[in-house]
Amino acid sequence: MIYIHVPFCKSFCTYCDFYSEIPEGDLFESYTAQVCAEIRRRAAEMDDELKTLYFGGGTPSVLPLTHLTRILLALEQCGHGGPFTEFTLEANPEDIVEKGLPYVESLRQLGVNRMSLGIQSFDDELLRWMNRRHSAQGARDAFRLVRQAGFENVSIDLIFGLSNLSDEVWGKTIDEALSLNPEHISCYQLTVEGDNVLATRLENGEYEEAPEELCRRQYDMLCVKAAHAGYNHYEISNFAKPGFEAVHNGGYWARRPYVGLGPSAHSFSGRGRSWNDATLDGYRSTSEALSPEDEKVETLMLALRTAKGIDAAFLLANCREEDVQRLLDQGALCKTGCRYRIPEDHFFVSDEIIRELV
């Protein structure tokens, strides 16, 4: 599993706290050279068991094809090239529309077999508030181009839980997303984190966080509509048509080792974590070992985020039996075969359930 962080955006969303830079001067060249050098330096760490590659960001679709090709060539030269079981590239709709069909077809030729479109909303007023560069029509056009290029595995991102997002607009957004018939939908509740525009607005009283009951109601709306459309709610924030569950992200939840390349990227060895500096100026890596308690908590937390749940023997060996029984009695846990899981109607409060267990 390989993750590559592309830290470039043409503009910044009001809510985003990920590391990114405006691409100016020779930043593309500097970035590509550093990532290729890191690939050569860390080739021995890369595990091809799942054979997945994920370009995230930032906005990977901002990166010119020549630079993307150089990175892929560096992986190939180190013995970790394609074809990949799953090769995902995140893209913003405006880049797809501006660069057109030849660009999307070139991505396919380079081996990308899964596209993740950052649509977020189909409401133009909300998109402007988020400082997204695309319009609702641009999102539709981008999806059409991706399909036209032959992509048969497309994921779209949506955001809910904004105080200025009405249930009516949210319902229409879900319906339009489902009408496109993507293979996968990732949906995230807006949170205010870090040092960004939205955090400043919140501090200045220009924005008010959405109440929990609104967030819960909008989450439930999505669960119901997605189920009726034939999607499997396989992880708290993720819905997929059968057979299209994200392989790469599934590896994260199963705690499989992965290598993160590029500024601000994180890696996991199985027993420890490391992360690169959030800078394009010769980034370095910091690492930490995980204690047995850290590993236990992480295993429980990640597994219980999924519909598959966690092995019963592991749960009972690491949690108090009375806590487990109480949650079973409350319907906050259920047992299927030899596994415990959080039922979908309790996914929204999964953090509280996991805290009770650990």
Side-chain angles (χ1 to χ4, degrees), residues 43-158:
E45 300 176 42
M46 299 179 193
D47 183 352
D48 287 338
E49 182 182 355
L50 279 186
K51 196 70 174 179
T52 65
L53 177 61
Y54 195 109
F55 276 79
T59 312
S61 51
V62 168
L63 190 67
L65 283 172
T66 52
H67 292 265
L68 177 62
T69 302
R70 283 172 56 188
I71 292 170
L72 294 176
L73 182 60
L75 285 170
E76 184 176 332
Q77 291 171 340
C78 290
H80 298 284
F84 295 93
T85 303
E86 184 183 87
F87 180 171
T88 302
L89 184 132
E90 292 181 353
N92 279 4
E94 64 273 13
D95 294 321
I96 299 297
V97 174
E98 289 171 9
K99 296 181 179 182
L101 185 60
Y103 168 73
V104 189
E105 290 176 333
S106 295
L107 291 177
R108 281 202 71 205
Q109 292 168 5
L110 286 173
V112 179
N113 56 26
R114 182 175 184 268
M115 289 291 291
S116 178
L117 294 177
I119 289 175
Q120 314 308 353
S121 176
F122 287 100
D123 182 77
D124 283 330
E125 183 178 347
L126 201 60
L127 287 169
R128 286 191 293 271
W129 180 86
M130 293 177 181
N131 200 35
R132 302 291 294 178
R133 290 188 293 123
H134 69 275
S135 64
Q137 186 57 49
R140 299 179 195 109
D141 292 342
F143 192 91
R144 175 182 52 80
L145 285 169
V146 168
R147 285 293 198 220
Q148 190 177 344
F151 279 92
E152 298 177 347
N153 191 355
V154 183
S155 178
I156 65 175
D157 286 358
L158 299 175

Side-chain angles (χ1 to χ4, degrees), residues 108-244:
R108 281 202 71 205
Q109 292 168 5
L110 286 173
V112 179
N113 56 26
R114 182 175 184 268
M115 289 291 291
S116 178
L117 294 177
I119 289 175
Q120 314 308 353
S121 176
F122 287 100
D123 182 77
D124 283 330
E125 183 178 347
L126 201 60
L127 287 169
R128 286 191 293 271
W129 180 86
M130 293 177 181
N131 200 35
R132 302 291 294 178
R133 290 188 293 123
H134 69 275
S135 64
Q137 186 57 49
R140 299 179 195 109
D141 292 342
F143 192 91
R144 175 182 52 80
L145 285 169
V146 168
R147 285 293 198 220
Q148 190 177 344
F151 279 92
E152 298 177 347
N153 191 355
V154 183
S155 178
I156 65 175
D157 286 358
L158 299 175
I159 290 180
F160 73 100
L162 294 76
S163 58
N164 52 338
L165 172 62
S166 69
D167 289 352
E168 180 183 6
V169 169
W170 175 234
K172 289 179 179 178
T173 289
I174 299 171
D175 290 342
E176 178 145 13
L178 294 174
S179 73
L180 294 176
N181 200 32
E183 285 68 36
H184 190 278
I185 298 174
S186 293
C187 191
Y188 304 101
Q189 179 180 330
L190 183 74
T191 55
V192 183
E193 296 178 345
D195 181 18
N196 54 33
V197 173
L198 191 57
T200 301
R201 290 180 182 175
L202 182 66
E203 185 177 349
N204 293 341
E206 299 170 7
Y207 177 75
E208 203 172 287
E209 289 191 89
E212 184 174 352
E213 58 269 23
L214 180 146
C215 298
R216 175 61 187 263
R217 189 169 63 247
Q218 293 185 351
Y219 183 75
D220 288 345
M221 288 171 63
L222 174 65
C223 293
V224 171
K225 286 177 177 286
H228 286 167
Y231 288 81
N232 172 29
H233 193 177
Y234 72 103
E235 193 269 347
I236 286 174
S237 300
N238 289 275
F239 304 77
K241 292 288 185 69
F244 288 94

